[in-house]
């Protein structure tokens, strides 16, 4: 049906040759070979940027928690104190974080919290994509200090 319709509209045209189809496929392959690595690099950078912003947001939320309760959450309470009232937190005015997934970095690992901190009054950090200390690029540590 399509072949007959094409023959009526374009007399003498039989369709695409195999060479033409192969040339188009090679061009598409070349475009994909150059574009995909660039897109993946941007995606990794976006996750790193998002984690850095989330660490800073958690720092701000912890400061608000301290203003309400008089101190930062204890080490054993951790960042869960931002979601649920810890025992003995009389002036807790939370939840300070709406959802538990706000306490998880873009790679699916929980943010680390240390109180008292080694670098500041408290430390919040993500170990990056590799979930191990150190690293570069997407695997670098993202910290509040």
């Amino acid at each position: 049906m399509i072949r007959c319709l094409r023959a009526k509209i374009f007399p003498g045209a039989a369709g695409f040759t195999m060479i033409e189809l192969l040339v188009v496929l090679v061009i598409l392959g070349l475009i994909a070979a150059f574009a995909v690595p660039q897109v993946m690099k941007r995606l990794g950078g976006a996750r790193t940027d998002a984690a850095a912003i989330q660490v800073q947001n958690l720092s701000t939320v912890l400061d608000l928690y301290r203003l309400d309760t008089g101190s930062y959450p204890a080490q054993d309470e951790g960042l869960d104190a931002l979601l649920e009232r810890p025992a003995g937190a009389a002036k807790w005015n939370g939840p300070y974080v709406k959802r538990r997934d706000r306490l998880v970095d873009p790679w699916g690992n929980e943010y680390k919290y240390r109180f008292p901190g080694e670098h500041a009054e408290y430390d919040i950090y993500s170990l990056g994509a590799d979930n191990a200390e150190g690293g570069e690029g997407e695997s670098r540590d993202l910290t509040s200090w």
Side-chain angles (χ1 to χ4, degrees):
M1 175 80 179
I2 294 175
R3 186 175 209 110
C4 295
L5 182 61
R6 183 177 167 99
K8 288 180 184 177
I9 295 173
F10 302 106
F16 295 109
T17 66
M18 183 63 89
I19 299 287
E20 291 170 328
L21 290 175
L22 287 174
V23 167
V24 169
L25 288 176
V26 167
I27 291 171
L28 289 174
L30 289 172
I31 291 172
F34 289 110
V36 169
Q38 294 301 317
V39 169
M40 295 308 289
K41 187 178 7 172
R42 295 283 183 202
L43 179 61
R47 285 184 180 160
T48 302
D49 292 345
I53 291 168
Q54 289 171 353
V55 164
Q56 293 307 313
N57 287 343
L58 286 172
S59 294
T60 302
V61 169
L62 279 170
D63 291 339
L64 182 60
Y65 178 95
R66 186 183 64 106
L67 286 173
D68 288 346
T69 63
S71 67
Y72 292 110
Q75 179 68 37
D76 61 326
E77 296 168 344
L79 294 176
D80 286 338
L82 301 174
L83 281 169
E84 299 171 5
R85 178 190 303 264
K91 295 183 180 180
W92 189 82
N93 194 22
Y96 297 90
V97 177
K98 293 184 180 185
R99 298 186 326 245
R100 182 164 298 283
D101 67 346
R102 301 289 183 195
L103 304 177
V104 176
D105 68 19
W107 301 280
N109 305 309
E110 289 188 12
Y111 284 103
K112 313 294 186 225
Y113 173 72
R114 187 171 37 226
F115 181 77
E118 294 177 4
H119 303 278
E121 205 165 350
Y122 61 84
D123 296 338
I124 301 174
Y125 56 99
S126 167
L127 297 176
D130 63 356
N131 201 29
E133 289 190 22
E136 293 183 17
E138 194 176 1
S139 296
R140 72 182 169 98
D141 298 345
L142 301 145
T143 64
S144 62
W145 60 89

